[in-house]
Every structure is written in structure tokens, then in C-alpha cells.
Amino acid sequence: MAQVYRGGQPYPAGYPGRLTPHEVRTRAFAACRRGVDPDEVREFQARLADELAMLNETVRLLSQENDRIKRALRDWQTMHAGECRPPNTGHW
């Protein structure tokens, strides 16, 4: 499977590309005889794009917090590593 380019960023094979809020807002649908109200579709697209943008921001903030906690744990482990006694010095 070839790489898919979305928003100028390549995605590795096997991973679906993530939708961006811009793509949701600007997606156009073909008109059909028994179609839906275009105003309702645009309103839904706007709501969906806003929620997607909010979720993307939440994921970004949680990822930063996760990285901060990992660094703090690593620093704490490094600081206390010398205090730990080796387990048994016996044969087993």
C-alpha cells in the first residue's frame, strides 16, 4: 500500500490518514435527486470540525502531560537508583 499524503504529511502504509477540521469543513458532496438539505450538511460539518479541533487539542495537551510525567519519573528513578541495595548477594 502506498503512502497517503494528507495536509503535506506522509502517513505510513497501513495507517489511515487522520481527518483535519479543514477537510471536514470543506468537503463537498455530489447533489442527488433525493439529497439532504445542504444547509444542514454544512451546519453539521461545522459542528464536527469544531469538535475535531477540540479533540485534537486535547490529545496534544495530554501527550505533552504524558511526556512531562515520563521525564519526571525517569529523573526520580535516576536520582534514587544509587540508594537501592542489590538484592541478595547469595548464590540464588
Side-chain angles (χ1 to χ4, degrees), residues 44-64:
F44 180 76
Q45 284 177 297
R47 286 180 50 208
L48 182 62
D50 291 342
E51 187 169 340
L52 186 59
M54 182 190 67
L55 290 172
N56 286 341
E57 178 66 12
T58 301
V59 167
R60 186 185 68 76
L61 292 173
L62 289 173
S63 180
Q64 287 178 347

Side-chain angles (χ1 to χ4, degrees), residues 19-51:
L19 286 173
T20 64
H22 175 74
E23 288 175 314
V24 171
R25 284 185 202 281
T26 59
R27 174 72 161 99
F29 298 93
C32 65
R33 192 170 191 196
R34 294 181 141 183
V36 294
D37 182 13
D39 293 333
E40 286 182 28
V41 171
R42 281 191 292 278
E43 181 183 321
F44 180 76
Q45 284 177 297
R47 286 180 50 208
L48 182 62
D50 291 342
E51 187 169 340

Side-chain angles (χ1 to χ4, degrees), residues 45-90:
Q45 284 177 297
R47 286 180 50 208
L48 182 62
D50 291 342
E51 187 169 340
L52 186 59
M54 182 190 67
L55 290 172
N56 286 341
E57 178 66 12
T58 301
V59 167
R60 186 185 68 76
L61 292 173
L62 289 173
S63 180
Q64 287 178 347
E65 178 71 3
N66 187 29
D67 290 341
R68 186 191 67 76
I69 291 170
K70 283 180 180 179
R71 279 192 310 275
L73 176 61
R74 196 170 29 251
D75 293 345
W76 184 87
Q77 288 172 330
T78 302
M79 185 172 64
H80 292 289
E83 297 173 5
C84 296
R85 288 185 294 151
N88 257 337
T89 56

Side-chain angles (χ1 to χ4, degrees), residues 1-12:
M1 183 175 185
Q3 289 186 343
V4 176
Y5 289 87
R6 180 168 274 162
Q9 297 295 320
Y11 284 91

